[in-house]
Each structure stands twice: as structure tokens, then as C-alpha cells.
Amino acid sequence: MSAPLVRALLALGILAGSVYFAVSTPARLGLDLRGGTQIVLETQDSPTVKAGQESTDRAVEVLRRRVDALGVAEPSLTRSGDRRIIVELPGLQDPREAAEVIGRTAQLTFHPVLGVPEPTPSPSGTGSPSPSPTSSAPAVEGEIVVEDEDGQPLRLGPPELTGDGVEGAQAAIDSLGGGGWYVTVDFKGDGQEAWERLTGEAACQPPGDPRRRVAIVLDDEVISSPQVDPSVACDVGITGGSTQITGRFTTEEAKELAVLIRGGALPVPVEVIEQRTVGPTLGAEAIDASAKAAVIGVALTSIFIVVVYRLLGGLAVVALAGYALISYAALVALGATLTLPGLAGFVLAIGMAIDANVLVFERAREEYESAKKKSLRTAVSTGFAKAWSAIIDSNVTTLLAAGLLFFLASGPVRGFGVTLSIGVLASMVSALIVTRVLAEWAVGQRAVMTRPPMTGIAAPGRVRTWLSERDPDLMRHGRRFLAGSLLVLVLAGAGIFWRGLDLGVEFTGGRLVEYSSSATLDVDTAREAVGDAGFPRAVVQESGEDNVSVRTGDLTNDDVVTIERALEEATGGEVTKERDELIGPSLGDELRNKALIALAVALGAQLLYLAVRFRWTLGASAVAAMAHDVIVLVGVFAWLGKPIDGVFLAALLTVIGYSVNDSVVVFDRVRELWAVRRADGFPRVVNTAVLQTVPRTVNTGLGAVFILSALAVLGGDSLTDFAVALLIGILVGTYSSMFTASPIAIELE
């Protein structure tokens, strides 16, 4: 079986499988696209149990029972690492109830009441007696003193029954007796015997004696301490395996208590370290905006590629549609969650998918021009063969950046790493298999063979022709280019040190809430309203055209509601919470450290890979240019006052991949030319490599610019900064690959 036939069958099989998964499997949308609340919990060590994988898994099962009782549709609970639990609650916009129920340790215990602390005279010898501090000391081992539901102190003995002996609980209302809401508790196994023994001992005390009471304690707080009914016999106790907890509960309190008891006790305490809430309209708008940006960007890119490469460009557009199908099918087949940054990565990867096609077509142009016996089929086959190494090296560097996002980032940004990885792999399949099958078939047709100009590779192109005629010696001015790069670095560094970095809540910890209003909501009015509500130190800023964001280090769920009501009073309109992000201080430190580690590992990994694939001088030059691009991008964002957050981190690591990608293409050509043209000298070889790769660099850059410009204009507030960062990165990366990395390589040689 011939190689072309094998490739054709492989392409057909991949596309057929992609169609199957795309049609049969729905996409799993992240909460930032469909709306809802995500809570990240971290298990903590208790006095008796150490938090770890086993205790966290048990905590997940307890929390799952609690979340199911909340009635949220399609909740998701997963363990992340050894001590973290990610809880996703689609459609839940008010996280107060969820955080209260989920975060409670729910350590339920049943205690005998030993009495009340003995009063002692007041220090002055007059007035009402006060409880004696000494009388609060344990009289027996395990005795504690706590306040009952009415605020009166009680002496409690050690617990004789815990939540492990409880089978279930149900909230109900005493509609006949008018006693209000109560909670029925059912016991099981040894719990029934312990309850009978506990109530039987209490029944031996006379009516009115505090020792006739039984205290029910939840998380070290007495929720009910009823007296045992006079009808209960001494040493017999309450039989039947159930009891009622009363305590003047409201409807919500009774139902919440029943949920906690029914769910069981957490084996270890948990702490909320991250909480995100996104309104459903914001997610729908993001999907709509991204879809429009994708359609417009792909249309412009397709027109551009067809104008430049004609027939083969048209076939590349067909393969691009195949790429989109393969990427989407891989996404749903793997069960990956599509987040907002991930959606942006999906759109961006469409533009990046053009790169491999451009590399091949430019190579084919060179081969056709240099061949004595002109053959379209040979030129195309040779173009694919010679572009292979550059495609592999450039995509591996991008995959390294995407992998770092997956392993070191969290939340929606991690989804971007997954989507970008899938996009890079799908683009290689699309270009090296689908495009090749179509291109080799097309150039073998007689109608095409007799009309070479229609293929788009029979002529070198205007940019290549212009460069060939003039043959400028760019590297003669290499040190001037380096001086210009150094000046740009100084300006960028000045922005970082002078203006400072506006770190987002991901890296500082704290809370950021974005509000919209049906009435006019200007930032001055909002700032005054937030200050009057008791938060004068909160940072209130414009967010987009009509929204405002409130950011502060310490804001509870109740505080968020208080601010929302204050804004409604100030504007006279209905205020809606569009976005809510809470990052604990420990997690903020961790994410900030991970971001720095990600950048350091990216530099090291790229340097190691390039040192193996190329000369160490070329690898070091590519990494130096990459560091240049990183500092410039961070500096520009510092001058513009834009936030440095998780989405920016995704953009930054993408720029790292793109920057090295560009340098790899140039150095791949240097490696090839140096093997046969050593007599020309290294500077001349580098100059020739730069000139030969300019058409590819320009065409690939324009393809990505179309996509990113559409995202910047139509992508909405959430994606604008992301697109702007990548646009800056592409411009700087294109410059640095030619005028920073190449001169540095010459100096090192």
C-alpha cells in the first residue's frame, strides 16, 4: 500500500471519528460560560486526623450528600491533589447557603448535662452572683462548659453519642400543636442503644433539674438541650430509635440542620480558599462574542490565505475546517471542560493552525523555484518533508508552555492549557495529513499540472521577490538592533518599577465582585455608595462600559449582598452581580509563586530543548529573545495599568511559545544552511536564513492578527485584555526572532 493511500485512509478515519464524537457527545461548559458557583475547599488537620488523600476522599463523599440535598442540578465534586476539593454548582448565583452548608464540619455530638456552673459572689461583694471561673473547670475528665440555646452556661459531660450513630434526619413542622419547625433524628445500630442509655440516665433526675436535660451539640455549639419528658422511665430511656430536636428554628434553619445531620460529619475541617461566581448572561455573552470573533477572524484569515496561495490556500482552508472539527471532537471525547480562556485558546489555535500550512507552502515555493525540472508534485512533497523539523520543533515549544499552564495554573486558565494543547496537536494532524492528502491529490490533476500559477506555489511571491532582488544585509546592523532592544527593555522595566504591577486577586488574595445595573451606574456614585455601606477602603473601578468592580482584601458573602443593596439604593435600579471571585491569602501566595515557577521552568525547559535540538548558542539566543518579549509585554501592561491576573498568565505563556516558535523557524533554516554554506561565514548564513523566513513570518503573523483583532474588538471585556496581550506578544515576538535572537546568536558564535 502506497504512502499517499495510507495518508488518505488515515485522514478519512480521523475525520469520520471526529464527526462521530462531535455529533454524539455534547461539550462540557465551564461555570464561567454557563453561570454558577465554584468553591475550592482545602482540608485541614484536626487534633485526631491528618488531612491527606484518604481523609479528603471521605470528605468528598460527605459533601456530595450535602450538595445533593441542596437541590442543585448537575453538581460536580472532585478531589484536586491530596487536600483540595473542587465543588461546581451550576446555576447557583448566591453562594451564601452553599458555603454555609458545605463548609460546616458538622461534628454532631450528644452530651449528658451535669448541671450549671456554680455562681460566686461578685468582686465587690454586692449585686448578682456571677459564675465562678473555678467552677467552669472540668470536674470530671472530658467535661466542658458551653452556653445553651438561650445563652445560659451548662456543664456537659463527654459525648456518649456522635453523628456516626445517626441514620437520617428530616425537617418537619408541628402544624397541629403550633410548635413550629423541628428536626426528626433517626438512630442506627449502637446509636439506638446509646440514645436509650443517655436519656434513661437523664430521666432518673427530678423534673426541672438541669441534669434531666440532654445537650445536642453541632460544631461545639448547643443547638438544642431539651428535658427528657416525664413519661420516660428511669434507666429505660427513649426507645424507638428516633427523637425530635426543637429549638425555635426557622424554615431555613431546620432544613439546613437536617441536611448537615443527614450528610454526616466531615472527617476533617475544610477551609474555603477560592470561590467564583459568574452570572449566566455574562457566560452567554462570552460565547456569543467568541463565536462572532471566530467567524469573522476565520473568514478574514481564509480570504488572506486564498489570496496568497490560491488553490493550495483554498485546500488549506478546507483542512482548517477539518482542524476545527478534530479539535472540537478531541475536546468532547476527552471530557475536557471548555472555559472562557479555553474558548479563546480554541479561537486562537485556529489562527496558529495556519502556521504549519504556511511553512509547507513557502518551502514548496522555494523548491519549485530552485528546481531545474519543474514539478508541482515534487515541490509539494519536498515542501512537506523539509518543513517537518520546523513544524515539530515549533509545536513542541508551544506544547511545553501549554503543559505548564495545565500543571501550574488553576481554575479557568488551566482549561486554556488543555484547549491549546489539543489545538496544537490537531493543527499538526490537519496540516501534515489532511492538507497533504488534498494538496498532493490536487497537484496531480492534469488541469492543475498544465496551469501551475493557479496552485499559488509556482511564483515566489512579492515579498520573497523583493528581498531576493535587494538582498539586504540586515545582520550588518545587528548591534544597532540589540541596542534598540535594550532601549525597549529599559522602557519596559521603567514601567514595571515606576508604575508597578496591578496584580489581580489570583495573586494577592482578596475578593473582586463585578456589578451591573439597569440604571446608570457611574464609578463615582458606586464608590460613594460602597464607602457609606461600611467599606471605605474598597477599590471601586469601572469594568467595561457600564459595569463597576469592587475589590478588597476581606469581604464575606453577606458583605457582597450589602454592597449590592447599597448600589441599588444609590442608583434606583436593579443591580446584578455579574462576576464574583474570592481567593484566600494562602492560595494567592501559592498562585503567585506558581506563576513565577512557571516562567522559570518555561525558560529552563525551552533552553534545554533547544540546546538539544540546536547549537547551544542558538538555544540561548532564542531563550534570551523570549525573556525580552516577556519583560516587554509585562512592562506594556504596567504602563497601561492593566491587571496581571490568571488570564494574563495564559497570554504570557502563549507568547513564550510563539516567541520561541518564531526563533525556531529561523534557526531551523540556519542549521540547514550552515551545513552546506560554511564558507559564507556564520553572520551571512544567519542573514540569509532571516530573509528566507520573512515571508512565512509575515503571513503567519497576519493570520493570527486577524483572529486576535476580532477577539479584541468583539470578545467582550473578559477577552479584550487577553487578545491585546497576544497582539503585543506577536508583534514583539516577530521583531525579536529576527532582530534580537539572530544578532545575539552571531555575537555568541
Side-chain angles (χ1 to χ4, degrees):
M1 189 179 294
S2 63
L5 181 58
V6 171
R7 282 193 291 269
L9 292 176
L10 182 60
L12 185 61
I14 291 173
L15 292 175
S18 299
V19 169
Y20 170 77
F21 282 108
V23 172
S24 63
T25 310
R28 181 183 176 188
L29 298 181
L31 290 184
D32 55 349
L33 291 178
R34 57 176 170 167
T37 296
Q38 180 190 73
I39 300 175
V40 180
L41 306 167
E42 186 172 71
T43 55
Q44 309 292 320
D45 294 339
S46 72
T48 57
V49 180
K50 184 175 180 60
Q53 181 175 331
E54 182 180 352
S55 58
T56 303
D57 283 335
R58 287 189 284 126
V60 168
E61 295 307 314
V62 173
L63 291 173
R64 181 170 285 115
R65 292 194 293 269
R66 295 186 187 180
V67 169
D68 290 341
L70 289 174
V72 177
E74 299 181 4
S76 171
L77 287 89
T78 55
R79 177 172 56 81
S80 177
D82 289 340
R83 299 178 55 181
R84 287 187 181 163
I85 304 170
I86 301 176
V87 183
E88 293 187 347
L89 306 171
L92 184 67
Q93 298 301 308
D94 187 354
R96 288 179 297 173
E97 178 185 1
E100 176 67 20
V101 173
I102 290 173
R104 294 281 292 273
T105 53
Q107 299 287 353
L108 187 70
T109 52
F110 298 77
H111 300 252
V113 177
L114 303 180
V116 296
E118 296 180 5
T120 58
S122 61
S124 62
T126 59
S128 302
S130 59
S132 169
T134 58
S135 67
S136 298
V140 297
E141 185 178 355
E143 178 183 324
I144 59 174
V145 177
V146 294
E147 293 183 349
D148 65 11
E149 60 269 39
D150 295 321
Q152 301 299 317
L154 288 178
R155 294 170 49 229
L156 306 183
E160 296 192 8
L161 174 63
T162 67
D164 293 336
V166 175
E167 182 175 18
Q170 187 68 42
I173 187 171
D174 183 5
S175 56
L176 297 178
W181 283 89
Y182 62 90
V183 176
T184 299
V185 180
D186 299 319
F187 300 101
K188 62 181 179 181
D190 294 340
Q192 296 184 16
E193 297 177 3
W195 178 246
E196 291 175 5
R197 183 172 60 253
L198 178 61
T199 54
E201 293 174 355
C204 294
Q205 306 301 324
D209 191 312
R211 293 174 296 172
R212 195 177 177 89
R213 299 164 70 180
V214 173
I216 304 173
V217 180
L218 181 69
D219 290 345
D220 299 324
E221 180 182 342
V222 176
I223 55 174
S224 183
S225 56
Q227 283 218 6
V228 175
D229 192 88
S231 62
V232 178
C234 176
D235 292 329
V236 175
I238 300 176
T239 60
S242 67
T243 190
Q244 292 181 356
I245 301 177
T246 59
R248 298 189 295 274
F249 298 124
T250 65
T251 305
E252 291 76 15
E253 290 171 342
K255 291 181 178 179
E256 178 183 318
L257 178 58
V259 167
L260 290 171
I261 296 175
R262 190 163 59 245
L266 287 172
V268 286
V270 295
E271 178 185 352
V272 177
I273 61 171
E274 182 179 357
Q275 178 180 302
R276 298 176 186 269
T277 301
V278 177
T281 56
L282 191 64
E285 290 172 358
I287 295 175
D288 183 60
S290 298
K292 290 179 181 178
V295 170
I296 295 175
V298 170
L300 292 174
T301 302
S302 300
I303 293 172
F304 170 74
I305 207 75
V306 169
V307 169
V308 175
Y309 298 109
R310 301 181 188 178
L311 174 62
L312 292 186
L315 296 177
V317 171
V318 175
L320 191 63
Y323 153 79
L325 175 63
I326 295 170
S327 295
Y328 178 77
L331 192 70
V332 297
L334 293 174
T337 301
L338 186 58
T339 62
L340 182 58
L343 189 62
F346 185 79
V347 175
L348 171 64
I350 295 175
M352 296 178 67
I354 292 295
D355 180 48
N357 292 302
V358 170
L359 276 170
V360 171
F361 295 159
E362 287 297 327
R363 273 295 197 172
R365 278 181 167 179
E366 293 179 23
E367 295 302 321
Y368 189 85
E369 183 183 12
S370 62
K372 295 181 179 179
K373 184 179 180 181
K374 308 294 185 181
S375 170
L376 290 173
R377 179 174 291 179
T378 301
V380 169
S381 298
T382 306
F384 275 100
K386 289 192 172 182
W388 170 260
S389 62
I391 292 173
I392 292 298
D393 288 333
S394 60
N395 281 290
V396 166
T397 55
T398 304
L399 283 173
L400 285 174
L404 288 173
L405 279 174
F406 179 79
F407 287 108
L408 297 179
S410 66
V413 177
R414 195 175 190 184
F416 174 80
V418 174
T419 308
L420 185 60
S421 300
I422 292 174
V424 169
L425 295 174
S427 71
M428 294 175 63
V429 172
S430 169
L432 299 178
I433 298 179
V434 179
T435 301
R436 184 166 187 173
V437 168
L438 295 175
E440 289 182 342
W441 171 82
V443 298
Q445 304 304 306
R446 181 175 298 275
V448 176
M449 295 173 63
T450 57
R451 301 175 181 84
M454 70 181 295
T455 62
I457 64 171
R462 294 182 180 180
V463 175
R464 188 179 299 278
T465 300
W466 186 88
L467 291 173
S468 299
E469 292 175 351
R470 288 162 178 77
D471 192 24
D473 188 1
L474 299 176
M475 294 302 103
R476 184 182 62 181
H477 308 291
R479 293 187 176 179
R480 295 182 182 178
F481 293 135
L482 290 179
S485 298
L486 182 60
L487 177 61
V488 172
L489 282 178
V490 171
L491 293 175
I496 296 173
F497 290 105
W498 185 22
R499 292 291 299 271
L501 299 179
D502 180 16
L503 297 178
V505 291
E506 289 101 324
F507 300 141
T508 62
R511 194 159 192 167
L512 175 69
V513 188
E514 182 179 334
Y515 298 96
S516 65
S517 175
S518 58
T520 302
L521 182 58
D522 64 88
V523 68
D524 293 329
T525 302
R527 189 174 292 119
E528 182 179 354
V530 172
D532 293 341
F535 308 97
R537 302 185 64 180
V539 178
V540 182
Q541 297 174 318
E542 291 183 358
S543 179
E545 297 180 0
D546 303 316
N547 298 356
V548 296
S549 64
V550 180
R551 176 179 170 182
T552 184
D554 186 15
L555 208 64
T556 66
N557 289 327
D558 291 334
D559 293 338
V560 171
V561 176
T562 299
I563 292 176
E564 184 176 328
R565 291 171 179 168
L567 293 175
E568 287 181 341
E569 293 178 2
T571 61
E574 181 180 356
V575 172
T576 303
K577 182 175 63 177
E578 298 290 353
R579 183 165 58 106
D580 183 356
E581 298 180 6
L582 167 66
I583 304 293
S586 60
L587 182 61
D589 292 339
E590 177 184 323
L591 293 177
R592 184 171 63 251
N593 294 335
K594 279 188 173 182
L596 296 175
I597 292 173
L599 293 178
V601 173
L603 292 171
Q606 307 282 19
L607 178 58
L608 179 62
Y609 177 80
L610 295 173
V612 172
R613 291 290 294 158
F614 299 96
R615 300 161 68 92
W616 75 267
T617 53
L618 301 184
S621 302
V623 171
M626 175 178 63
H628 164 275
D629 299 345
V630 168
I631 295 173
V632 170
L633 179 56
V634 174
V636 170
F637 262 55
W639 280 113
L640 296 176
K642 290 186 174 294
I644 307 296
D645 53 15
V647 174
F648 176 81
L649 175 63
L652 187 65
L653 288 176
T654 306
V655 167
I656 287 175
Y658 183 88
S659 174
V660 177
N661 185 321
D662 260 7
S663 298
V664 162
V665 172
V666 174
F667 291 155
D668 181 76
R669 189 62 61 92
V670 170
R671 178 175 54 187
E672 179 182 334
L673 294 175
W674 184 243
V676 296
R677 295 173 58 174
R678 289 178 179 268
D680 292 349
F682 193 76
R684 186 61 187 171
V685 167
V686 172
N687 189 78
T688 302
V690 169
L691 295 180
Q692 289 182 355
T693 55
V694 163
R696 169 264 166 197
T697 301
V698 172
N699 292 341
T700 297
L702 285 175
V705 164
F706 287 135
I707 296 286
L708 293 173
S709 298
L711 272 178
V713 175
L714 301 173
D717 300 331
S718 303
L719 295 178
T720 296
D721 288 349
F722 175 84
V724 168
L726 286 178
L727 282 171
I728 295 171
I730 285 177
L731 295 176
V732 176
T734 300
Y735 170 88
S736 68
S737 64
M738 295 185 290
F739 303 122
T740 303
S742 298
I744 290 177
I746 293 174
E747 294 297 327
L748 291 178
E749 287 288 336

